[in-house]
Amino acid sequence: MTSAAIRLEHLSVLFSGKPVIDDISLVIASGGPTFLLGRSGSGKTTLLRAINRLNECFPDCETRGKMSVQLGGEWVDAYGRDIPAETLRRRVGMVFQNPNVLPLSITRNISMPLEATLSLCTSENQDRIEQVLRDVHLWDEVKNRLSSPAATLSGGQQQRLCLARTLALQPEILLLDEPTASLDFKAARQIEDLLLELKARYTLVVVSHSLSQAHRLAEHVHVLHEGSRIETLPPDVFKDREALFAAMGELI
Ligand SMILES: Nc1ncnc2c1ncn2[C@@H]1O[C@H](COP(=O)(O)OP(=O)(O)O)[C@@H](O)[C@H]1O
Ligand SMILES: [Mg+2]
């Protein structure tokens, strides 16, 4: 039986007092990938950001309800006193729609967040940088240009670097917000293949606008309706391409 990794109980997220997520309850399975689908503007990004408390970076945002995450084999009350927000964000990593590389070298993109959060010595850092670049199949492409600016990489390489940067912090849960939306077909497929490899080691929660992608990759699918209702699709719907497109045509 699949175990749970994230539990939302009556979660609401309000911007300037207006609810964007309104009383949502949901259990997200460990492993995955779990896909979150829904119309543009339905609150998918906001829901994802609620899981690692990133919405708190907006001063006019208020979160109500309860969110628990399974970390290190224990349930942690994400909005309680169990865990500081910075620690939660390291253990629940996030990759965004547009590759947000830092204006630094390829190596520094990984080592700077590492130094800022974990006090590792230089050699430990070097080992970890190589390992995560190998994990995202970028090592062979960049090993001779590690000091080059990250901005000189292609879009797909930059997105894999962002993934490597997140993995270097050794998260347990990975949130991915439309991670292939800005990439061409080949680069998108590379990220998809990576997700299939990473699902054995991390709980993956993926927001996607692509039904085909959800059909190919998802183990669980939830559909968010205007922030106020979440519907779980049965596997016989999302594992059958035609059934998924038919169901979503009616749903969103
Ligand atoms: N930081 C913010 N401040 C104010 N409103 C926001 C903010 N982020 C999102 N919203 C609003 O919340 C709603 C849902 O947005 P979002 O979560 O980005 O939807 P989706 O990812 O499904 O497209 C939108 O109406 C959007 O304008
Ligand atoms: Mg979004």
Side-chain angles (χ1 to χ4, degrees), residues 155-195:
Q157 289 174 322
Q158 288 189 25
Q159 192 62 311
R160 280 184 283 145
L161 179 61
C162 291
L163 192 49
R165 184 177 64 195
T166 305
L167 295 182
L169 299 173
Q170 300 188 320
E172 289 164 65
I173 297 172
L174 276 178
L175 311 173
L176 301 115
D177 191 5
E178 306 209 28
T180 62
S182 67
L183 305 181
D184 65 28
F185 176 79
K186 187 165 169 257
R189 277 298 168 101
Q190 280 179 317
I191 296 281
E192 288 185 7
D193 291 344
L194 264 175
L195 295 185

Side-chain angles (χ1 to χ4, degrees), residues 219-221 231-240 243-244 247:
E219 287 297 323
H220 311 277
V221 175
E231 178 173 14
T232 300
L233 292 188
D236 60 346
V237 170
F238 67 81
K239 293 201 172 174
D240 177 331
L244 175 63

Side-chain angles (χ1 to χ4, degrees), residues 96-208:
F96 301 87
Q97 179 169 344
N98 294 308
N100 56 346
V101 295
L102 303 167
L104 298 167
S105 71
I106 294 168
T107 309
R108 286 299 286 159
N109 258 272
I110 301 175
S111 64
M112 204 179 82
L114 266 182
E115 286 166 12
T117 51
L118 309 168
S119 310
L120 297 184
C121 69
T122 312
S123 69
E124 282 174 315
N125 259 347
Q126 293 310 325
D127 290 349
R128 200 178 285 200
I129 289 166
E130 179 173 340
Q131 184 56 54
V132 292
L133 287 173
R134 286 188 186 281
D135 286 348
V136 300
H137 304 300
L138 196 56
W139 177 251
D140 287 338
E141 293 164 53
V142 302
K143 65 184 178 197
N144 297 323
R145 51 187 286 208
L146 290 168
S147 310
S148 302
T152 60
L153 298 172
S154 72
Q157 289 174 322
Q158 288 189 25
Q159 192 62 311
R160 280 184 283 145
L161 179 61
C162 291
L163 192 49
R165 184 177 64 195
T166 305
L167 295 182
L169 299 173
Q170 300 188 320
E172 289 164 65
I173 297 172
L174 276 178
L175 311 173
L176 301 115
D177 191 5
E178 306 209 28
T180 62
S182 67
L183 305 181
D184 65 28
F185 176 79
K186 187 165 169 257
R189 277 298 168 101
Q190 280 179 317
I191 296 281
E192 288 185 7
D193 291 344
L194 264 175
L195 295 185
L196 290 177
E197 289 177 27
L198 295 174
K199 72 177 187 179
R201 289 158 54 193
Y202 306 93
T203 288
L204 303 179
V205 188
V206 186
V207 164
S208 178

Side-chain angles (χ1 to χ4, degrees), residues 6 8 21 24 26-28 33-39 42-51 175-179 204-211 213-214 218-225 229-233 248 252:
I6 303 165
L8 323 184
I21 298 296
I24 289 288
L26 177 69
V27 175
I28 296 178
T34 289
F35 269 66
L36 200 54
L37 306 177
R39 276 203 189 118
S42 59
K44 303 180 298 296
T45 295
T46 304
L47 186 60
L48 214 54
R49 285 192 309 235
I51 298 175
L175 311 173
L176 301 115
D177 191 5
E178 306 209 28
L204 303 179
V205 188
V206 186
V207 164
S208 178
H209 65 284
S210 164
L211 297 186
Q213 188 173 67
E219 287 297 323
H220 311 277
V221 175
H222 307 288
V223 186
L224 186 60
H225 296 271
R229 186 167 68 85
I230 196 143
E231 178 173 14
T232 300
L233 292 188
M248 292 303 285
I252 63 173

